[in-house]
Amino acid sequence: MTTSPHPAAEAAAPRPGFLERQGIVRPLAFGFLAVMLFMVGDGIEVGFLSPYLESRGLSGSEVTLLWTVYGFVVAVAAWLSGALAEAWGPRRVMLLGLGIWAVFEVLFLTVGVAAGNYPVMLLTFGIRGLGYPFFAYGFLVWIAMETPGDKLSRAVSWYWFASTMGLGVISSYFAGAVIPVIGEMATLWLSLAFVAAGGCLIVFLVRARVVTKPPETTKESVAKMFNALTIVKTHPRVGIGGVVRLINTLSFYAFVVFLTTHMVNEVGFSTAQWQTIWGTMLLANVVANLLSGYVADWIGSVNTVAWVGGLGCCVTVLALFYVPEAVGPNFGLTLTVAIFYGLALGAFVPLSAIMPLLAPRHIASAVAILNLGAGLSQFAGSAMAGLVGPLGIEATVWVIASIYLLGLGLTFCLRQPAPEPGAEAESSVVPRPGAAGANPATEPVGAAPAGRSVR
């Protein structure tokens, strides 16, 4: 005999609201806006800092070294953000990133840039590189910890939408609008206002869950940090995921080095035309960051990353070279190819949802490897651009495209594995009910999962 649910039971489980259906859990909702604002502040300088510093007397090699040191620190911080989030909790890591960014930005602008002191610029700008990965990637770990597994693809899509919209779109338009009015130095100071606004949202509007868990010792925290690296041994697919993430933006960072020069000097686009093409590509990427999570719900996360991302990037990377070579500086056709390239880059976003499911009891460590891949991608792309000298642009483009085919194959190694043996017995590290990779049937009532506390 079947019985209908008791009315009180139905009332106790209200229909999820709009935000929940998008994968945005309410306690973290303002965090997405916080990341967007923070990344606006972090990205304001990208389009003009190098020529501005050269106008103040720095040589091109000095500016290059400044960004190289910064990029190295960002890569390390990208890994540390996940490792520390597991040891200390994402909230603390985000606030640490906020403090580092604000303090060393002030020092960079006052004792460094204003005083014309290059060694201080190098030191302070490099240390500031710890700030944005701690803040932004720390929140990505928080999302992975708190979001139900069936909504995680959408949640990370909204995260990357917010992050890229702030870093690549709003910041560029804002800097372009205010520099003619107030100048470069004042614009750099305004970046602190956006960063502070994002930090205030985290402090006052993003609420942490209360978990009764004794504080960790220093030894436990250090052990968890190194576990973020050793996880690739116990969970090899996590390491493969890190490689796929490295491949994701490999072409983007390589193209930053050599494609603009090629398109302007050899193909014949004007600088304004190419900037419009490149900016539109970034806008398409922002849209794809959001839509890819919904596509993943339709065809699966692995299929989205492999076919739309891997194969799509392979084809469009080649097209970005061969279409202008065939038709010359045809703005419309090249713009169309660039849009599809931006969409393909964004199709890798579901990787952020795949990785936590590969190690559901070590989510922060898995995300740390994902972040490390993101940080190392910049170095790999720059190194790949170095092939242009001995091989030429055409051969280099083919090497990059072939690597995306490798990434396509590796992605199929990331299919969700069977539950880990003995998982039912690990009550101390079982995810909370409804979190990514959680199995509510095996979680003891009132369990306080280790590594999942949010402070």
Short mmCIF file of all heavy atoms in Angstrom, two decimals, residues 45-105:
data_model
loop_
_atom_site.label_atom_id
_atom_site.label_comp_id
_atom_site.label_asym_id
_atom_site.label_seq_id
_atom_site.Cartn_x
_atom_site.Cartn_y
_atom_site.Cartn_z
N GLU A 45 44.69 47.60 -13.93
CA GLU A 45 46.04 47.95 -14.36
C GLU A 45 46.51 47.21 -15.60
O GLU A 45 47.49 47.60 -16.25
CB GLU A 45 47.03 47.64 -13.23
CG GLU A 45 47.13 46.15 -12.97
CD GLU A 45 47.83 45.81 -11.66
OE1 GLU A 45 47.95 46.68 -10.80
OE2 GLU A 45 48.24 44.66 -11.52
N VAL A 46 45.84 46.11 -15.96
CA VAL A 46 46.38 45.18 -16.95
C VAL A 46 46.66 45.86 -18.28
O VAL A 46 47.70 45.64 -18.91
CB VAL A 46 45.42 43.98 -17.15
CG1 VAL A 46 45.85 43.13 -18.34
CG2 VAL A 46 45.36 43.14 -15.88
N GLY A 47 45.74 46.71 -18.73
CA GLY A 47 45.88 47.26 -20.06
C GLY A 47 46.84 48.43 -20.19
O GLY A 47 47.20 48.81 -21.32
N PHE A 48 47.29 49.02 -19.07
CA PHE A 48 48.12 50.23 -19.21
C PHE A 48 49.32 50.28 -18.28
O PHE A 48 50.16 51.18 -18.42
CB PHE A 48 47.27 51.49 -18.97
CG PHE A 48 46.84 51.70 -17.54
CD1 PHE A 48 47.61 52.43 -16.66
CD2 PHE A 48 45.65 51.15 -17.07
CE1 PHE A 48 47.22 52.64 -15.34
CE2 PHE A 48 45.25 51.34 -15.76
CZ PHE A 48 46.03 52.10 -14.90
N LEU A 49 49.46 49.35 -17.33
CA LEU A 49 50.53 49.45 -16.36
C LEU A 49 51.91 49.39 -17.03
O LEU A 49 52.81 50.17 -16.69
CB LEU A 49 50.41 48.36 -15.29
CG LEU A 49 51.48 48.41 -14.19
CD1 LEU A 49 51.40 49.72 -13.41
CD2 LEU A 49 51.32 47.22 -13.23
N SER A 50 52.09 48.48 -17.98
CA SER A 50 53.41 48.33 -18.61
C SER A 50 53.85 49.60 -19.32
O SER A 50 54.95 50.12 -19.05
CB SER A 50 53.39 47.13 -19.56
OG SER A 50 53.21 45.93 -18.85
N PRO A 51 53.04 50.15 -20.25
CA PRO A 51 53.50 51.39 -20.89
C PRO A 51 53.62 52.57 -19.92
O PRO A 51 54.47 53.44 -20.10
CB PRO A 51 52.43 51.66 -21.96
CG PRO A 51 51.25 50.86 -21.56
CD PRO A 51 51.79 49.67 -20.85
N TYR A 52 52.78 52.58 -18.88
CA TYR A 52 52.86 53.67 -17.89
C TYR A 52 54.18 53.61 -17.14
O TYR A 52 54.85 54.64 -16.94
CB TYR A 52 51.69 53.57 -16.92
CG TYR A 52 51.76 54.58 -15.79
CD1 TYR A 52 51.73 55.95 -16.03
CD2 TYR A 52 51.87 54.15 -14.46
CE1 TYR A 52 51.81 56.87 -15.00
CE2 TYR A 52 51.94 55.07 -13.42
CZ TYR A 52 51.91 56.42 -13.70
OH TYR A 52 51.99 57.34 -12.67
N LEU A 53 54.60 52.41 -16.73
CA LEU A 53 55.87 52.28 -16.02
C LEU A 53 57.04 52.62 -16.93
O LEU A 53 58.03 53.22 -16.49
CB LEU A 53 56.02 50.86 -15.47
CG LEU A 53 55.05 50.49 -14.33
CD1 LEU A 53 55.28 49.05 -13.90
CD2 LEU A 53 55.21 51.43 -13.13
N GLU A 54 56.95 52.27 -18.21
CA GLU A 54 58.02 52.63 -19.15
C GLU A 54 58.09 54.14 -19.34
O GLU A 54 59.18 54.71 -19.48
CB GLU A 54 57.79 51.93 -20.50
CG GLU A 54 58.02 50.42 -20.44
CD GLU A 54 57.93 49.77 -21.80
OE1 GLU A 54 58.14 50.47 -22.83
OE2 GLU A 54 57.63 48.57 -21.87
N SER A 55 56.92 54.79 -19.29
CA SER A 55 56.92 56.25 -19.42
C SER A 55 57.54 56.92 -18.21
O SER A 55 57.96 58.09 -18.28
CB SER A 55 55.48 56.77 -19.61
OG SER A 55 54.74 56.69 -18.40
N ARG A 56 57.62 56.18 -17.09
CA ARG A 56 58.24 56.73 -15.87
C ARG A 56 59.71 56.32 -15.76
O ARG A 56 60.32 56.51 -14.70
CB ARG A 56 57.47 56.27 -14.64
CG ARG A 56 56.04 56.84 -14.58
CD ARG A 56 55.34 56.40 -13.30
NE ARG A 56 55.97 56.96 -12.11
CZ ARG A 56 55.61 58.09 -11.51
NH1 ARG A 56 54.61 58.81 -12.01
NH2 ARG A 56 56.22 58.52 -10.43
N GLY A 57 60.26 55.72 -16.82
CA GLY A 57 61.70 55.47 -16.85
C GLY A 57 62.14 54.04 -16.80
O GLY A 57 63.33 53.75 -16.91
N LEU A 58 61.22 53.08 -16.61
CA LEU A 58 61.62 51.69 -16.59
C LEU A 58 61.88 51.19 -18.01
O LEU A 58 61.21 51.62 -18.97
CB LEU A 58 60.54 50.81 -15.93
CG LEU A 58 60.68 50.57 -14.42
CD1 LEU A 58 60.53 51.87 -13.66
CD2 LEU A 58 59.63 49.56 -13.95
N SER A 59 62.82 50.29 -18.15
CA SER A 59 63.09 49.69 -19.46
C SER A 59 62.09 48.56 -19.73
O SER A 59 61.42 48.07 -18.82
CB SER A 59 64.51 49.13 -19.50
OG SER A 59 64.64 48.03 -18.61
N GLY A 60 62.01 48.15 -20.98
CA GLY A 60 61.12 47.05 -21.33
C GLY A 60 61.48 45.77 -20.61
O GLY A 60 60.60 45.02 -20.18
N SER A 61 62.77 45.49 -20.44
CA SER A 61 63.19 44.26 -19.74
C SER A 61 62.84 44.32 -18.26
O SER A 61 62.50 43.29 -17.66
CB SER A 61 64.70 44.05 -19.91
OG SER A 61 65.43 45.15 -19.38
N GLU A 62 62.91 45.52 -17.67
CA GLU A 62 62.53 45.64 -16.27
C GLU A 62 61.04 45.40 -16.07
O GLU A 62 60.62 44.73 -15.11
CB GLU A 62 62.91 47.04 -15.75
CG GLU A 62 64.40 47.23 -15.53
CD GLU A 62 64.75 48.65 -15.12
OE1 GLU A 62 64.09 49.60 -15.59
OE2 GLU A 62 65.70 48.83 -14.33
N VAL A 63 60.23 45.91 -16.99
CA VAL A 63 58.79 45.67 -16.90
C VAL A 63 58.48 44.19 -17.10
O VAL A 63 57.65 43.61 -16.41
CB VAL A 63 58.05 46.54 -17.93
CG1 VAL A 63 56.56 46.16 -17.96
CG2 VAL A 63 58.20 48.01 -17.59
N THR A 64 59.18 43.55 -18.04
CA THR A 64 58.98 42.12 -18.28
C THR A 64 59.32 41.31 -17.04
O THR A 64 58.60 40.37 -16.67
CB THR A 64 59.84 41.65 -19.46
OG1 THR A 64 59.45 42.37 -20.64
CG2 THR A 64 59.68 40.17 -19.71
N LEU A 65 60.44 41.65 -16.39
CA LEU A 65 60.82 40.94 -15.17
C LEU A 65 59.78 41.15 -14.08
O LEU A 65 59.46 40.21 -13.33
CB LEU A 65 62.18 41.44 -14.69
CG LEU A 65 62.71 40.80 -13.40
CD1 LEU A 65 62.86 39.29 -13.56
CD2 LEU A 65 64.05 41.44 -12.98
N LEU A 66 59.22 42.34 -13.99
CA LEU A 66 58.19 42.63 -13.00
C LEU A 66 57.00 41.67 -13.16
O LEU A 66 56.53 41.06 -12.20
CB LEU A 66 57.73 44.08 -13.14
CG LEU A 66 56.88 44.66 -12.02
CD1 LEU A 66 57.74 44.96 -10.80
CD2 LEU A 66 56.21 45.95 -12.49
N TRP A 67 56.54 41.53 -14.40
CA TRP A 67 55.40 40.64 -14.65
C TRP A 67 55.78 39.17 -14.51
O TRP A 67 54.96 38.34 -14.12
CB TRP A 67 54.85 40.90 -16.05
CG TRP A 67 54.01 42.14 -16.16
CD1 TRP A 67 54.32 43.31 -16.78
CD2 TRP A 67 52.70 42.33 -15.61
NE1 TRP A 67 53.30 44.22 -16.66
CE2 TRP A 67 52.29 43.65 -15.94
CE3 TRP A 67 51.83 41.53 -14.86
CZ2 TRP A 67 51.05 44.17 -15.57
CZ3 TRP A 67 50.60 42.05 -14.49
CH2 TRP A 67 50.22 43.34 -14.84
N THR A 68 57.03 38.83 -14.82
CA THR A 68 57.46 37.43 -14.68
C THR A 68 57.45 37.01 -13.22
O THR A 68 56.98 35.92 -12.87
CB THR A 68 58.87 37.26 -15.27
OG1 THR A 68 58.85 37.63 -16.65
CG2 THR A 68 59.33 35.81 -15.14
N VAL A 69 58.01 37.86 -12.35
CA VAL A 69 57.99 37.57 -10.91
C VAL A 69 56.56 37.48 -10.40
O VAL A 69 56.21 36.57 -9.65
CB VAL A 69 58.79 38.65 -10.13
CG1 VAL A 69 58.60 38.49 -8.63
CG2 VAL A 69 60.26 38.58 -10.50
N TYR A 70 55.74 38.43 -10.83
CA TYR A 70 54.33 38.41 -10.44
C TYR A 70 53.65 37.11 -10.87
O TYR A 70 52.93 36.48 -10.09
CB TYR A 70 53.64 39.62 -11.07
CG TYR A 70 52.15 39.70 -10.82
CD1 TYR A 70 51.65 40.21 -9.64
CD2 TYR A 70 51.24 39.27 -11.79
CE1 TYR A 70 50.29 40.30 -9.41
CE2 TYR A 70 49.87 39.36 -11.58
CZ TYR A 70 49.40 39.87 -10.39
OH TYR A 70 48.04 39.94 -10.16
N GLY A 71 53.89 36.70 -12.11
CA GLY A 71 53.26 35.47 -12.60
C GLY A 71 53.71 34.24 -11.84
O GLY A 71 52.91 33.33 -11.59
N PHE A 72 54.99 34.20 -11.45
CA PHE A 72 55.47 33.06 -10.67
C PHE A 72 54.77 32.99 -9.31
O PHE A 72 54.33 31.92 -8.88
CB PHE A 72 56.98 33.16 -10.47
CG PHE A 72 57.55 32.11 -9.57
CD1 PHE A 72 57.75 30.82 -10.03
CD2 PHE A 72 57.88 32.40 -8.25
CE1 PHE A 72 58.26 29.83 -9.19
CE2 PHE A 72 58.38 31.44 -7.41
CZ PHE A 72 58.59 30.14 -7.88
N VAL A 73 54.65 34.15 -8.66
CA VAL A 73 53.99 34.18 -7.36
C VAL A 73 52.52 33.79 -7.49
O VAL A 73 51.98 33.05 -6.65
CB VAL A 73 54.13 35.57 -6.71
CG1 VAL A 73 53.34 35.64 -5.41
CG2 VAL A 73 55.59 35.88 -6.45
N VAL A 74 51.86 34.25 -8.54
CA VAL A 74 50.46 33.89 -8.77
C VAL A 74 50.30 32.39 -8.92
O VAL A 74 49.36 31.79 -8.38
CB VAL A 74 49.91 34.63 -10.01
CG1 VAL A 74 48.58 34.03 -10.46
CG2 VAL A 74 49.71 36.10 -9.70
N ALA A 75 51.22 31.74 -9.65
CA ALA A 75 51.14 30.30 -9.84
C ALA A 75 51.25 29.56 -8.50
O ALA A 75 50.50 28.62 -8.24
CB ALA A 75 52.23 29.82 -10.80
N VAL A 76 52.20 29.99 -7.67
CA VAL A 76 52.35 29.36 -6.35
C VAL A 76 51.12 29.62 -5.49
O VAL A 76 50.59 28.71 -4.83
CB VAL A 76 53.61 29.89 -5.65
CG1 VAL A 76 53.70 29.36 -4.22
CG2 VAL A 76 54.86 29.50 -6.43
N ALA A 77 50.62 30.86 -5.53
CA ALA A 77 49.46 31.22 -4.72
C ALA A 77 48.21 30.48 -5.17
O ALA A 77 47.33 30.18 -4.36
CB ALA A 77 49.22 32.73 -4.77
N ALA A 78 48.13 30.18 -6.47
CA ALA A 78 46.98 29.45 -6.98
C ALA A 78 46.89 28.08 -6.32
O ALA A 78 45.79 27.61 -5.98
CB ALA A 78 47.07 29.32 -8.50
N TRP A 79 48.03 27.41 -6.14
CA TRP A 79 48.02 26.13 -5.43
C TRP A 79 47.75 26.35 -3.94
O TRP A 79 46.92 25.67 -3.35
CB TRP A 79 49.36 25.42 -5.61
CG TRP A 79 49.57 24.36 -4.57
CD1 TRP A 79 48.82 23.21 -4.39
CD2 TRP A 79 50.54 24.36 -3.53
NE1 TRP A 79 49.29 22.52 -3.31
CE2 TRP A 79 50.34 23.18 -2.76
CE3 TRP A 79 51.57 25.22 -3.17
CZ2 TRP A 79 51.14 22.87 -1.66
CZ3 TRP A 79 52.36 24.91 -2.09
CH2 TRP A 79 52.15 23.76 -1.35
N LEU A 80 48.45 27.32 -3.35
CA LEU A 80 48.31 27.53 -1.92
C LEU A 80 46.88 27.89 -1.52
O LEU A 80 46.43 27.56 -0.43
CB LEU A 80 49.24 28.64 -1.45
CG LEU A 80 50.72 28.28 -1.26
CD1 LEU A 80 51.52 29.52 -0.89
CD2 LEU A 80 50.87 27.21 -0.19
N SER A 81 46.15 28.55 -2.42
CA SER A 81 44.78 28.96 -2.08
C SER A 81 43.92 27.77 -1.72
O SER A 81 43.14 27.82 -0.77
CB SER A 81 44.17 29.74 -3.24
OG SER A 81 44.05 28.93 -4.40
N GLY A 82 44.04 26.69 -2.49
CA GLY A 82 43.26 25.50 -2.16
C GLY A 82 43.82 24.77 -0.96
O GLY A 82 43.07 24.28 -0.11
N ALA A 83 45.15 24.67 -0.89
CA ALA A 83 45.77 23.97 0.24
C ALA A 83 45.45 24.65 1.56
O ALA A 83 45.09 24.00 2.55
CB ALA A 83 47.28 23.90 0.03
N LEU A 84 45.57 25.98 1.59
CA LEU A 84 45.28 26.71 2.82
C LEU A 84 43.80 26.72 3.14
O LEU A 84 43.40 26.73 4.31
CB LEU A 84 45.80 28.15 2.71
CG LEU A 84 47.31 28.32 2.66
CD1 LEU A 84 47.68 29.78 2.44
CD2 LEU A 84 47.95 27.80 3.95
N ALA A 85 42.95 26.71 2.11
CA ALA A 85 41.51 26.69 2.36
C ALA A 85 41.10 25.42 3.08
O ALA A 85 40.18 25.43 3.91
CB ALA A 85 40.75 26.83 1.05
N GLU A 86 41.78 24.31 2.78
CA GLU A 86 41.47 23.08 3.48
C GLU A 86 42.00 23.11 4.90
O GLU A 86 41.39 22.57 5.82
CB GLU A 86 42.06 21.88 2.73
CG GLU A 86 41.63 20.55 3.32
CD GLU A 86 41.94 19.38 2.42
OE1 GLU A 86 42.98 19.41 1.73
OE2 GLU A 86 41.15 18.43 2.40
N ALA A 87 43.16 23.76 5.09
CA ALA A 87 43.76 23.79 6.42
C ALA A 87 43.11 24.83 7.32
O ALA A 87 42.87 24.57 8.50
CB ALA A 87 45.26 24.08 6.30
N TRP A 88 42.79 25.99 6.79
CA TRP A 88 42.30 27.10 7.61
C TRP A 88 40.85 27.46 7.37
O TRP A 88 40.25 28.18 8.17
CB TRP A 88 43.13 28.37 7.34
CG TRP A 88 44.58 28.24 7.67
CD1 TRP A 88 45.18 27.28 8.43
CD2 TRP A 88 45.63 29.12 7.25
NE1 TRP A 88 46.53 27.50 8.50
CE2 TRP A 88 46.83 28.62 7.79
CE3 TRP A 88 45.66 30.27 6.47
CZ2 TRP A 88 48.06 29.25 7.58
CZ3 TRP A 88 46.87 30.89 6.26
CH2 TRP A 88 48.07 30.38 6.81
N GLY A 89 40.30 27.03 6.24
CA GLY A 89 38.95 27.43 5.85
C GLY A 89 38.99 28.53 4.82
O GLY A 89 39.84 29.43 4.89
N PRO A 90 38.10 28.51 3.81
CA PRO A 90 38.13 29.48 2.72
C PRO A 90 37.98 30.93 3.17
O PRO A 90 38.60 31.83 2.60
CB PRO A 90 36.96 29.06 1.83
CG PRO A 90 36.74 27.63 2.15
CD PRO A 90 37.09 27.47 3.59
N ARG A 91 37.15 31.19 4.17
CA ARG A 91 36.91 32.57 4.59
C ARG A 91 38.21 33.23 5.06
O ARG A 91 38.51 34.37 4.68
CB ARG A 91 35.86 32.59 5.70
CG ARG A 91 35.48 33.99 6.17
CD ARG A 91 34.52 33.89 7.35
NE ARG A 91 34.13 35.21 7.82
CZ ARG A 91 33.13 35.93 7.33
NH1 ARG A 91 32.42 35.46 6.32
NH2 ARG A 91 32.84 37.11 7.81
N ARG A 92 38.97 32.53 5.87
CA ARG A 92 40.22 33.10 6.37
C ARG A 92 41.19 33.36 5.23
O ARG A 92 41.92 34.36 5.21
CB ARG A 92 40.85 32.16 7.40
CG ARG A 92 40.13 32.12 8.73
CD ARG A 92 40.85 31.19 9.68
NE ARG A 92 40.18 31.10 10.98
CZ ARG A 92 40.56 30.30 11.95
NH1 ARG A 92 41.59 29.51 11.78
NH2 ARG A 92 39.90 30.29 13.10
N VAL A 93 41.25 32.42 4.26
CA VAL A 93 42.17 32.58 3.14
C VAL A 93 41.78 33.79 2.30
O VAL A 93 42.63 34.56 1.86
CB VAL A 93 42.19 31.29 2.29
CG1 VAL A 93 43.01 31.49 1.03
CG2 VAL A 93 42.75 30.14 3.10
N MET A 94 40.48 33.99 2.08
CA MET A 94 40.02 35.15 1.31
C MET A 94 40.38 36.46 2.01
O MET A 94 40.85 37.41 1.37
CB MET A 94 38.51 35.07 1.09
CG MET A 94 38.07 33.94 0.19
SD MET A 94 36.28 33.93 -0.08
CE MET A 94 36.09 35.37 -1.15
N LEU A 95 40.18 36.51 3.31
CA LEU A 95 40.51 37.73 4.05
C LEU A 95 42.02 37.98 4.08
O LEU A 95 42.47 39.12 4.05
CB LEU A 95 39.93 37.65 5.46
CG LEU A 95 38.40 37.62 5.55
CD1 LEU A 95 37.94 37.52 6.99
CD2 LEU A 95 37.79 38.85 4.87
N LEU A 96 42.79 36.90 4.14
CA LEU A 96 44.24 37.03 4.06
C LEU A 96 44.64 37.62 2.71
O LEU A 96 45.49 38.52 2.62
CB LEU A 96 44.91 35.67 4.27
CG LEU A 96 46.44 35.64 4.14
CD1 LEU A 96 47.09 36.52 5.20
CD2 LEU A 96 46.95 34.20 4.26
N GLY A 97 44.02 37.12 1.63
CA GLY A 97 44.31 37.66 0.30
C GLY A 97 43.94 39.12 0.19
O GLY A 97 44.67 39.91 -0.42
N LEU A 98 42.81 39.48 0.77
CA LEU A 98 42.37 40.88 0.78
C LEU A 98 43.42 41.77 1.45
O LEU A 98 43.81 42.82 0.92
CB LEU A 98 41.03 41.00 1.49
CG LEU A 98 40.52 42.42 1.77
CD1 LEU A 98 40.18 43.13 0.47
CD2 LEU A 98 39.31 42.37 2.70
N GLY A 99 43.88 41.36 2.62
CA GLY A 99 44.87 42.15 3.35
C GLY A 99 46.18 42.27 2.60
O GLY A 99 46.77 43.36 2.52
N ILE A 100 46.67 41.16 2.04
CA ILE A 100 47.93 41.19 1.30
C ILE A 100 47.82 42.12 0.11
O ILE A 100 48.71 42.96 -0.14
CB ILE A 100 48.31 39.77 0.84
CG1 ILE A 100 48.73 38.92 2.06
CG2 ILE A 100 49.44 39.82 -0.19
CD1 ILE A 100 48.98 37.46 1.72
N TRP A 101 46.72 42.01 -0.64
CA TRP A 101 46.58 42.83 -1.84
C TRP A 101 46.56 44.31 -1.48
O TRP A 101 47.28 45.12 -2.09
CB TRP A 101 45.28 42.46 -2.57
CG TRP A 101 45.27 42.85 -4.01
CD1 TRP A 101 45.50 42.05 -5.09
CD2 TRP A 101 45.02 44.16 -4.55
NE1 TRP A 101 45.43 42.77 -6.26
CE2 TRP A 101 45.13 44.08 -5.96
CE3 TRP A 101 44.73 45.39 -3.99
CZ2 TRP A 101 44.95 45.17 -6.81
CZ3 TRP A 101 44.56 46.50 -4.82
CH2 TRP A 101 44.67 46.38 -6.21
N ALA A 102 45.77 44.68 -0.49
CA ALA A 102 45.63 46.09 -0.14
C ALA A 102 46.94 46.68 0.38
O ALA A 102 47.37 47.76 -0.04
CB ALA A 102 44.52 46.26 0.90
N VAL A 103 47.60 45.98 1.30
CA VAL A 103 48.82 46.50 1.91
C VAL A 103 49.92 46.67 0.87
O VAL A 103 50.57 47.72 0.78
CB VAL A 103 49.28 45.58 3.05
CG1 VAL A 103 50.70 45.96 3.51
CG2 VAL A 103 48.33 45.65 4.23
N PHE A 104 50.13 45.64 0.05
CA PHE A 104 51.26 45.71 -0.89
C PHE A 104 50.94 46.54 -2.13
O PHE A 104 51.87 47.00 -2.80
CB PHE A 104 51.72 44.29 -1.24
CG PHE A 104 52.51 43.66 -0.13
CD1 PHE A 104 51.88 42.86 0.82
CD2 PHE A 104 53.86 43.90 0.02
CE1 PHE A 104 52.59 42.29 1.87
CE2 PHE A 104 54.58 43.34 1.05
CZ PHE A 104 53.94 42.55 1.99
N GLU A 105 49.67 46.76 -2.42
CA GLU A 105 49.34 47.72 -3.47
C GLU A 105 49.68 49.14 -3.02
O GLU A 105 50.24 49.93 -3.80
CB GLU A 105 47.85 47.62 -3.83
CG GLU A 105 47.36 48.66 -4.83
CD GLU A 105 47.86 48.45 -6.24
OE1 GLU A 105 48.69 47.54 -6.46
OE2 GLU A 105 47.43 49.20 -7.14
#
